[in-house]
Amino acid sequence: MRLWVSGCDKKYYEGGRGLHAPDRDAALGLGIATSERMLGICRGRRKFLAASLTLLCIPAVTWIYLFAGSFEDGKPVSLSPLESQAHSPRYTAASQRERESLEVRVREVEEENRALRRQLSLAQGRAPAPRRGNHSKTYSMEEGTGDSENLRAGIVAGNSSECGQQPVVEKCETIHVAIVCAGYNASRDVVTLVKSVLFHRRNPLHFHLIADSIAEQILATLFQTWMVPAVRVDFYNADELKSEVSWIPNKHYSGIYGLMKLVLTKTLPANLERVIVLDTDITFATDIAELWAVFHKFKGQQALGLVENQSDWYLGNLWKNHRPWPALGRGYNTGVILLLLDKLRKMKWEQMWRLTAERELMGMLSTSLADQDIFNAVIKQNPFLVYQLPCFWNVQLSDHTRSEQCYRDVSDLKVIHWNSPKKLRVKNKHVEFFRNLYLTFLEYDGNLLRRELFGCPSEADVNSENLQKQLSELDEDDLCYEFRRERFTVHRTHLYFLHYEYEPAADSTDVTLVAQLSMDRLQMLEAICKHWEGPISLALYLSDAEAQQFLRYAQGSEVLMSRHNVGYHIVYKEGQFYPVNLLRNVAMKHIGTPYMFLSDIDFLPMYGLYEYLRKSVIQLDLANTKKAMIVPAFETLRYRLSFPKSKAELLSMLDMGTLFTFRYHVWTKGHAPTNFAKWRTATTPYRVEWEADFEPYVVVRRDCPEYDRRFVGFGWNKVAHIMELDAQEYEFIVLPNAYMIHMPHAPSFDITKFRSNKQYRICLKTLKEEFQQDMSRRYGFAALKYLTAENNS
């Protein structure tokens, strides 16, 4: 099954049914309306020939004949044999042949018209006058051919529309999209673009991401955990391409990565014939297949599809002494490019742009708009390369934009380009519409985009198949099914949501604080950053909308923005349980230090704990021994606390009742083995033994076991981890001069469920027993003590 489009109409059809048919199609029938548009529009585009009566005679007579012959019993007849068969009850083989003959004759007339246009241009001694910048023009799908914009000298040839019908996009044809993406911020921006494309798409997609090592790590994890069907992603090392363009001086804020679109013919696979190239600050308002279909409009040597620049930048009149690179008229914007790779390779594109850049740089010294300047300089010398796209395929909201002159109604727009560092603060009369469209996809729940494409088989995905196999083995009638299912849920994960920059200490003693949190604990971040100067790895459990709230919160905080050694990893919400141990594992996995301090977000470490732990790592030889250093935990019931600056001050507050040992009044067993009585007078580290339900906060090597994911929400999540450390023969060593204090907060949703829901507690007990059985299988006889300890507790 194919999507079909008329050369003049450019409306999409799937199996002969209009996807965007106007009201009159519904009233008169799709075939009749198509016929009228095809005849009417083609006539309209020859009105300028009125200047020569002689030249008009032949096509006028022909059109009178065709118009009269296209009616049968006073009714218009469709030129399309497929549509005629669908709508005409008197369809016969003879009428089919007549209509096919008529269709061929229409094409012949169009060819005659093109020849007459060229003759008229030669007779006048000049090419037809260009139409500047799509001024004050509303584009419907009929006008989506680019014809009205392509009468510039050197571009007109081959751009006129064909009124015959042609296949455009196969139903399951893969659409290829290339994006250059480098760094933390660009990796975050590209997600909004991808969401807008996925939201509208009906075809399989293949993303080609030219990325640096940072962006590849982030986006590879994101797509792997996103698990969107019929989407393939390949990465190309941008750092290896730097030498190709590093010789070009560039003043644009995108830096060297802003020049890498120039080398896509060399970078992308040799068997890839065409690709849509997009900037990261693009938002789609339509199916990308509509843009992919425009490739079928390319004629002759056209190999680049571009939208005219919507500012006066290349006209050179923005300010005094403004000297832009050479361009054809207003020039073209490279935020959206259709690249015919095979044709460009045959034209030796690499040599073409390099020679042009070398020549222009002799006078210009550097580029101002990166690849866009060089593309325009090449086009200036080779205008035949360009197929000009209608402006709605790249509505540019730059600082000096004139984009509102290309449309009357925002409903016509297809692609919004936020090509300004100011983003949502650009001046435009429809800025609220653009802002709302952008925010819609920015905060859109990405999990909703995991939908299968109807009728298009996806490539086999090993991770997806394994997940389905694991889920199929679960008993859906089990009262604890939802708990068991959570263990296998794949949560979409965006690593390093904010800029991260940290070099580990050279002495290999560095320690990262590891914690997890949700939106209701966000207020703790600034306090922790003030107490801990070392690196931090945080996993945040948020929805897409909450992630944007967090971003605004962080960017508005001087404390957080001054810290570049905090890694924020977003794990997106899914399911009904808080995946506490998954979050801990995500935070643990993405640290860059040999050791980690496994903490919780509602604890404040003592001042200077970071340096104290680094010294203890050396003192206790953690590099060569299996030790877990315990940081004793205390708590206060006061929201405002004068934090103790020393152990002596803390002991005084304990004696006064301002502080308490953590959970002594509700869960004594959790921290009792720390032996706080001994800690009061200890001056050297001391060893303690594991006991049932022990859950201290520890410093361990980064190669320690992960947390068990079967425990979600409240209960036994840390206990199980400490039990496994003990099973692996870790020694528990209490640090005599270390401490942390739990700050009060409202009870979590999960602890409330635990206390109020009997089934919750029953399932937790069941999972606990299964975990202990697994421990016995893994660690044998040594694990029997856990069952004994549990029975005696």
Side-chain angles (χ1 to χ4, degrees), residues 459-471:
E459 293 184 15
D461 180 77
V462 176
N463 293 330
S464 180
E465 289 180 350
N466 290 339
L467 175 61
Q468 293 303 319
K469 182 181 178 181
Q470 291 168 336
L471 292 176

Side-chain angles (χ1 to χ4, degrees), residues 468-485:
Q468 293 303 319
K469 182 181 178 181
Q470 291 168 336
L471 292 176
S472 66
E473 294 173 353
L474 298 179
D475 181 7
E476 294 187 16
D477 295 327
D478 184 353
L479 293 176
C480 300
Y481 170 78
E482 293 298 333
F483 283 86
R484 301 188 194 283
R485 190 184 191 285

Side-chain angles (χ1 to χ4, degrees), residues 360-510:
E360 298 300 334
L361 283 170
M362 294 178 66
M364 297 303 299
L365 303 181
S366 68
T367 66
S368 296
L369 300 182
D371 66 88
Q372 184 167 300
D373 284 338
I374 297 175
F375 269 103
N376 275 287
V378 173
I379 292 168
K380 176 76 172 179
Q381 298 298 318
N382 307 279
F384 58 83
L385 286 172
V386 180
Y387 178 91
Q388 184 167 319
L389 299 171
C391 66
F392 53 58
W393 283 118
N394 185 354
V395 179
Q396 303 145 36
L397 301 181
S398 59
D399 293 333
H400 306 287
T401 184
R402 292 175 175 266
S403 59
E404 66 270 15
Q405 296 183 13
C406 93
Y407 62 89
R408 291 175 186 162
D409 187 352
V410 290
S411 64
D412 293 328
L413 305 182
K414 308 289 186 184
V415 173
I416 311 302
H417 185 187
W418 301 91
N419 56 329
S420 169
K422 296 179 181 179
K423 211 70 172 178
L424 302 181
R425 297 193 298 273
V426 295
K427 294 180 180 179
N428 185 283
K429 64 182 179 182
H430 293 113
V431 68
E432 285 303 316
F433 169 83
F434 297 131
R435 181 184 290 112
N436 290 336
L437 177 68
Y438 174 75
L439 292 177
T440 295
F441 290 113
L442 188 72
E443 300 183 355
Y444 188 82
D445 184 355
N447 296 328
L448 300 177
L449 299 169
R450 288 171 164 171
R451 58 179 184 267
E452 292 279 354
L453 288 183
F454 179 74
C456 293
S458 302
E459 293 184 15
D461 180 77
V462 176
N463 293 330
S464 180
E465 289 180 350
N466 290 339
L467 175 61
Q468 293 303 319
K469 182 181 178 181
Q470 291 168 336
L471 292 176
S472 66
E473 294 173 353
L474 298 179
D475 181 7
E476 294 187 16
D477 295 327
D478 184 353
L479 293 176
C480 300
Y481 170 78
E482 293 298 333
F483 283 86
R484 301 188 194 283
R485 190 184 191 285
E486 180 61 36
R487 183 179 184 179
F488 303 111
T489 300
V490 179
H491 290 264
R492 191 165 35 106
T493 303
H494 188 133
L495 304 177
Y496 300 105
F497 198 68
L498 295 178
H499 182 79
Y500 181 78
E501 186 177 343
Y502 185 68
E503 289 294 331
D507 60 2
S508 299
T509 64
D510 224 344

Side-chain angles (χ1 to χ4, degrees), residues 532 597-600 602-607 609 612-613 616 620 628-636 643-644 646-647 650-651 654 659-664 670-688 694-699 718 722 732-743:
W532 177 273
F597 172 31
L598 304 179
S599 183
D600 270 338
D602 44 11
F603 276 89
L604 289 182
M606 73 177 199
Y607 291 109
L609 180 62
Y612 176 66
L613 293 181
S616 300
L620 296 173
M629 301 191 305
I630 295 174
V631 177
F634 301 86
E635 69 175 332
T636 179
F643 201 90
S646 64
K647 179 178 179 178
L650 180 139
L651 291 175
L654 275 174
L659 291 179
F660 308 92
T661 57
F662 185 56
R663 290 292 185 260
Y664 84 99
H671 294 266
T674 301
N675 195 344
F676 290 100
K678 184 173 182 177
W679 182 82
R680 292 179 69 101
T681 58
T683 56
T684 59
Y686 60 91
R687 179 176 178 176
V688 296
F694 193 26
E695 52 176 4
Y697 293 95
V698 297
V699 178
K718 290 193 298 291
I722 295 298
F732 295 103
I733 307 296
V734 180
L735 299 176
N737 294 308
Y739 56 88
M740 58 196 298
I741 299 177
H742 179 265
M743 304 305 291

Side-chain angles (χ1 to χ4, degrees), residues 190-224:
V190 80
V191 177
T192 307
L193 160 61
V194 171
K195 282 183 183 179
S196 68
V197 172
L198 291 176
F199 180 83
H200 297 287
R201 65 104 178 214
R202 301 186 183 190
N203 288 71
L205 295 171
H206 188 163
F207 289 102
H208 302 266
L209 300 178
I210 297 84
D212 64 351
S213 58
I214 294 169
E216 181 171 355
Q217 180 188 16
I218 295 170
L219 296 175
T221 301
L222 178 66
F223 278 104
Q224 182 181 0

Side-chain angles (χ1 to χ4, degrees), residues 481-646:
Y481 170 78
E482 293 298 333
F483 283 86
R484 301 188 194 283
R485 190 184 191 285
E486 180 61 36
R487 183 179 184 179
F488 303 111
T489 300
V490 179
H491 290 264
R492 191 165 35 106
T493 303
H494 188 133
L495 304 177
Y496 300 105
F497 198 68
L498 295 178
H499 182 79
Y500 181 78
E501 186 177 343
Y502 185 68
E503 289 294 331
D507 60 2
S508 299
T509 64
D510 224 344
V511 182
T512 299
L513 187 151
V514 172
Q516 44 74 35
L517 69 152
S518 55
M519 200 67 181
D520 58 342
R521 301 287 186 266
L522 206 57
Q523 72 279 2
M524 294 294 298
L525 289 182
E526 288 188 344
I528 288 178
C529 286
K530 292 176 180 178
H531 281 250
W532 177 273
E533 63 270 28
I536 302 174
S537 181
L538 298 173
L540 298 90
Y541 192 56
L542 306 173
S543 66
D544 292 75
E546 288 174 339
Q548 298 310 313
Q549 293 176 37
F550 160 71
L551 178 62
R552 292 190 289 270
Y553 172 84
Q555 291 176 337
S557 167
E558 292 184 10
V559 173
L560 300 187
M561 285 296 95
S562 66
R563 293 288 297 270
H564 301 297
N565 62 348
V566 181
Y568 301 96
H569 313 298
I570 307 296
V571 177
Y572 287 100
K573 286 184 175 180
E574 186 175 3
Q576 58 179 308
F577 297 104
Y578 185 81
V580 58
N581 280 354
L582 167 67
L583 296 172
R584 289 186 172 121
N585 291 340
V586 168
M588 285 170 55
K589 187 176 180 180
H590 298 97
I591 65 170
T593 60
Y595 308 99
M596 51 189 177
F597 172 31
L598 304 179
S599 183
D600 270 338
I601 198 66
D602 44 11
F603 276 89
L604 289 182
M606 73 177 199
Y607 291 109
L609 180 62
Y610 171 61
E611 291 297 335
Y612 176 66
L613 293 181
R614 291 179 62 182
K615 293 176 182 177
S616 300
V617 162
I618 299 174
Q619 180 185 358
L620 296 173
D621 192 23
L622 251 65
N624 302 304
T625 58
K626 275 189 169 182
K627 289 189 176 75
M629 301 191 305
I630 295 174
V631 177
F634 301 86
E635 69 175 332
T636 179
L637 302 180
R638 300 183 179 184
Y639 282 89
R640 292 188 178 183
L641 175 73
S642 178
F643 201 90
K645 296 180 176 57
S646 64

Side-chain angles (χ1 to χ4, degrees), residues 33-304:
T34 302
S35 173
E36 288 182 343
R37 287 197 301 273
M38 292 162 67
L39 295 175
I41 292 170
C42 290
R43 288 198 304 274
R45 288 177 178 167
R46 288 192 293 277
K47 287 182 179 179
F48 71 92
L49 292 179
S52 175
L53 292 175
T54 303
L55 292 174
L56 266 178
C57 288
I58 296 174
V61 172
T62 304
W63 272 112
I64 292 172
Y65 166 77
L66 289 176
F67 187 75
S70 65
F71 279 76
E72 187 175 78
D73 294 337
K75 298 179 180 179
V77 176
S78 170
L79 294 181
S80 168
L82 289 177
E83 293 178 359
S84 176
Q85 184 175 8
H87 294 279
S88 174
R90 296 182 295 171
Y91 173 74
T92 63
S95 62
Q96 166 74 350
R97 285 193 297 273
E98 290 175 4
R99 292 182 181 88
E100 288 177 349
S101 175
L102 182 61
E103 193 173 2
V104 170
R105 183 58 186 142
V106 169
R107 292 196 183 98
E108 292 175 353
V109 172
E110 281 297 294
E111 290 299 328
E112 294 173 8
N113 254 343
R114 279 192 281 273
L116 290 172
R117 286 181 191 167
R118 287 193 291 270
Q119 292 174 21
L120 179 61
S121 297
L122 292 172
Q124 292 174 338
R126 60 179 177 84
R131 296 183 62 164
R132 294 282 183 182
N134 307 313
H135 289 180
S136 302
K137 185 165 183 64
T138 301
Y139 281 91
S140 65
M141 292 296 290
E142 291 92 332
E143 295 161 321
T145 61
D147 295 343
S148 61
E149 299 304 313
N150 289 336
L151 298 181
R152 194 179 303 283
I155 305 179
V156 66
N159 268 6
S160 57
S161 66
E162 290 189 13
C163 293
Q165 212 177 47
Q166 55 181 316
V168 175
V169 182
E170 295 280 353
K171 178 179 178 181
C172 294
E173 180 179 351
T174 298
I175 296 172
H176 294 266
V177 180
I179 304 170
V180 178
C181 183
Y184 300 98
N185 293 337
S187 301
R188 190 174 63 244
D189 292 340
V190 80
V191 177
T192 307
L193 160 61
V194 171
K195 282 183 183 179
S196 68
V197 172
L198 291 176
F199 180 83
H200 297 287
R201 65 104 178 214
R202 301 186 183 190
N203 288 71
L205 295 171
H206 188 163
F207 289 102
H208 302 266
L209 300 178
I210 297 84
D212 64 351
S213 58
I214 294 169
E216 181 171 355
Q217 180 188 16
I218 295 170
L219 296 175
T221 301
L222 178 66
F223 278 104
Q224 182 181 0
T225 55
W226 204 338
M227 299 181 70
V228 182
V231 170
R232 178 179 170 184
V233 182
D234 283 328
F235 291 90
Y236 307 83
N237 193 331
D239 294 328
E240 293 179 358
L241 301 175
K242 285 182 177 179
S243 60
E244 301 281 344
V245 293
S246 59
W247 56 274
I248 304 173
N250 178 29
K251 294 181 180 179
H252 194 255
Y253 61 80
S254 60
I256 193 170
Y257 299 102
L259 296 162
M260 289 188 177
K261 293 178 191 172
L262 296 165
V263 297
L264 290 182
T265 54
K266 186 175 180 180
T267 305
L268 298 177
N271 61 351
L272 183 60
E273 297 181 355
R274 60 190 62 186
V275 67
I276 298 173
V277 187
L278 302 173
D279 279 356
T280 58
D281 51 0
I282 294 289
T283 304
F284 266 77
T286 193
D287 189 346
I288 196 172
E290 294 184 28
L291 181 58
W292 184 256
V294 178
F295 275 118
H296 293 271
K297 294 282 184 186
F298 284 34
K299 306 294 180 185
Q301 292 181 294
Q302 292 171 345
L304 301 171

Side-chain angles (χ1 to χ4, degrees), residues 652-788:
S652 174
M653 295 174 74
L654 275 174
D655 293 336
M656 294 174 60
T658 307
L659 291 179
F660 308 92
T661 57
F662 185 56
R663 290 292 185 260
Y664 84 99
H665 56 300
V666 293
W667 185 245
T668 307
K669 294 189 298 182
H671 294 266
T674 301
N675 195 344
F676 290 100
K678 184 173 182 177
W679 182 82
R680 292 179 69 101
T681 58
T683 56
T684 59
Y686 60 91
R687 179 176 178 176
V688 296
E689 297 295 330
W690 175 88
E691 295 180 22
D693 298 321
F694 193 26
E695 52 176 4
Y697 293 95
V698 297
V699 178
V700 290
R701 293 198 311 241
R702 63 176 301 168
D703 62 355
C704 83
E706 291 187 338
Y707 288 82
D708 195 292
R709 279 198 58 188
R710 82 186 77 199
F711 298 106
V712 294
F714 176 81
W716 247 70
N717 43 74
K718 290 193 298 291
V719 172
H721 187 247
I722 295 298
M723 183 183 290
E724 186 146 15
L725 291 181
D726 183 66
Q728 293 193 8
E729 299 181 343
Y730 275 74
E731 291 183 64
F732 295 103
I733 307 296
V734 180
L735 299 176
N737 294 308
Y739 56 88
M740 58 196 298
I741 299 177
H742 179 265
M743 304 305 291
H745 56 73
S748 67
F749 177 68
D750 292 278
I751 195 171
T752 303
K753 280 202 299 185
F754 172 81
R755 291 170 177 170
S756 62
N757 191 324
K758 182 179 179 181
Q759 187 59 43
Y760 193 113
R761 296 192 295 273
I762 291 174
C763 288
L764 180 58
K765 185 175 185 295
T766 301
L767 294 175
K768 173 182 172 182
E769 292 169 352
E770 291 175 356
F771 172 77
Q772 291 173 328
Q773 292 169 7
D774 289 345
M775 290 282 289
S776 298
R777 283 191 287 269
R778 286 202 299 270
Y779 300 106
F781 181 78
L784 292 177
K785 71 174 182 178
Y786 305 122
L787 292 174
T788 305

